[in-house]
Amino acid sequence: KSRLFFLKTVVEPANRIDAFKNAYTSLAMDKNAAFINNRLATMHLENKNADSAIYYARRAMIFAPKWRASYSTLSEVYKTLNLPDSVKKYEQQSKAADPSKPIEINKPLSKTSNAKPKFGITAGGGINRLNPTFSGRPTNNIVGVNPVNALKFDAGVLFYTALNKHISFRPTISFGFENADVEFERRNVVGGVITTETLHNKIISGNLSAPLLLNFSNNSIAPYLLFGPSFSYIIGENKTAAELLPVSKSIFSAEAGLGLNIKIKKSGFIISPEIKYSAGLNNIKKESSSEYSTAVSTLKKQGFSMCFYFRKN
């Protein structure tokens, strides 16, 4: 009789009220039948009642721990709840030779799992500026200095390592192409009128950044914060500007930003758009006898950028 009422839930599922009555009647006659509990789980899932679906799927697992169907059902329930870790766990168990053996998805990452470095590429651009401080020593009528916003672009390669579930390490090596401009104010001796002159410098640099990433989730779209140090070395610059306002070739900075890990479905890749702010930690102005260098007492670098990182998941 129990199986007869169970078959009615399969053959005549259109009327949900009668289908549930037949399912519970079947269960009352055979409470330990895994197939009845699993059928109730799928019915509650269709009825968008996730809690009850989980309850009956787990009962089915208890009564038939090596039966794969209940693990698949539980995976489908967790998909509706947007819990990817649980989905992955029960999908793996449903395909295992012995699904009754639990799979630990939150155990520490081993050297052979996600801790293995992933390689990728990066490209981006933004606004760069040198922040000068006026020395207060007018030379050839220079009475002030101002920062100038200028464009920058960079591209390179990255190495991504997950240290644990929430923290990752992403060193990046890149080459940057940027303008480094400073505006000088001059007072005209004849009329006392202040005019401006911009000193333009084009720079090519090699960059190394080593930020830590604080990941908030492992969903298909997951935000993260980043912070860490970076180092740049100038490998090429405008010769005239370098003579008039020489700067140190080594630049140390601190970086902070916000990004999104976006998983590209079925491809196994992740693209991460990221907004980042960097601030120079050292005074990069070098001593020189030029009037431009004399007018500047300190010079530091800062900038905003929008970068894209592309890597394998």
Side-chain angles (χ1 to χ4, degrees):
K1 286 185 179 181
S2 173
R3 294 186 180 186
L4 176 62
F5 283 107
F6 166 77
L7 288 173
K8 286 184 178 182
T9 69
V10 179
V11 178
E12 303 172 2
N15 189 326
R16 287 191 178 184
I17 296 177
D18 289 344
F20 272 104
K21 285 182 179 179
N22 289 326
Y24 281 114
T25 301
S26 175
L27 184 66
M29 295 178 178
D30 192 356
K31 293 182 179 180
N32 297 341
F35 63 92
I36 300 173
N37 281 278
N38 188 65
R39 176 57 181 157
L40 273 167
T42 59
M43 291 170 66
H44 279 293
L45 177 60
E46 292 168 0
N47 217 28
K48 297 181 180 180
N49 189 349
D51 289 342
S52 295
I54 292 172
Y55 172 76
Y56 286 106
R58 289 191 180 279
R59 281 177 56 87
M61 288 166 54
I62 292 171
F63 300 132
K66 294 189 178 183
W67 186 40
R68 293 183 174 86
S70 54
Y71 297 90
S72 296
T73 300
L74 208 51
S75 173
E76 292 300 320
V77 177
Y78 284 121
K79 280 183 184 178
T80 66
L81 297 176
N82 194 25
L83 295 172
D85 285 347
S86 296
V87 172
K88 183 178 180 180
K89 173 182 176 180
Y90 290 105
E91 277 185 350
Q92 290 178 350
Q93 283 190 253
S94 69
K95 297 173 183 178
D98 184 357
S100 63
K101 293 182 179 179
I103 296 175
E104 299 179 44
I105 60 171
N106 292 325
K107 64 181 179 180
L109 294 168
S110 66
K111 292 183 179 180
T112 58
S113 65
N114 290 335
K116 184 178 180 181
K118 309 293 195 307
F119 297 90
I121 58 175
T122 177
I127 296 174
N128 174 66
R129 65 189 288 175
L130 295 178
N131 285 335
T133 303
F134 182 48
S135 65
R137 294 178 292 172
T139 304
N140 287 355
N141 304 320
I142 296 178
V143 294
V145 291
N146 301 306
V148 179
N149 291 332
L151 296 177
K152 68 172 183 176
F153 303 93
D154 56 60
V157 295
L158 66 92
F159 309 88
Y160 182 93
T161 301
L163 302 180
N164 58 41
K165 188 177 179 181
H166 296 291
I167 300 176
S168 304
F169 180 55
R170 190 193 64 199
T172 303
I173 299 173
S174 64
F175 288 94
F177 307 87
E178 59 190 86
N179 293 326
D181 303 340
V182 178
E183 183 182 84
F184 293 85
E185 296 179 352
R186 288 184 182 276
R187 187 182 298 278
N188 191 313
V189 178
V190 178
V193 178
I194 294 178
T195 59
T196 59
E197 175 190 359
T198 302
L199 185 64
H200 299 281
N201 194 0
K202 295 184 181 297
I203 289 175
I204 301 174
S205 61
N207 310 302
L208 171 63
S209 63
L212 288 175
L213 276 58
L214 180 61
N215 306 296
F216 291 108
S217 72
N218 192 35
N219 296 334
S220 56
I221 300 179
Y224 64 86
L225 292 175
L226 75 102
F227 53 90
S230 69
F231 171 76
S232 299
Y233 187 82
I234 296 175
I235 56 179
E237 59 182 319
N238 181 282
K239 184 177 180 180
T240 301
E243 292 175 351
L244 296 176
L245 183 61
V247 297
S248 172
K249 292 186 178 295
S250 300
I251 303 172
F252 297 90
S253 303
E255 297 180 335
L258 175 65
L260 285 176
N261 285 325
I262 303 174
K263 295 179 181 178
I264 303 174
K265 292 183 177 179
K266 298 181 180 180
S267 70
F269 288 93
I270 292 178
I271 185 169
S272 303
E274 180 180 290
I275 298 175
K276 182 169 56 179
Y277 170 75
S278 63
L281 300 176
N282 61 319
N283 175 21
I284 63 174
K285 182 236 175 194
K286 294 177 67 176
E287 292 301 323
S288 170
S289 59
S290 77
E291 60 173 332
Y292 299 95
S293 182
T294 302
V296 175
S297 60
T298 62
L299 190 63
K300 290 190 176 183
K301 183 181 177 182
Q302 70 178 41
F304 284 94
S305 60
M306 179 72 181
C307 301
F308 292 87
Y309 300 84
F310 185 75
R311 62 178 172 84
K312 190 170 179 60
N313 188 7

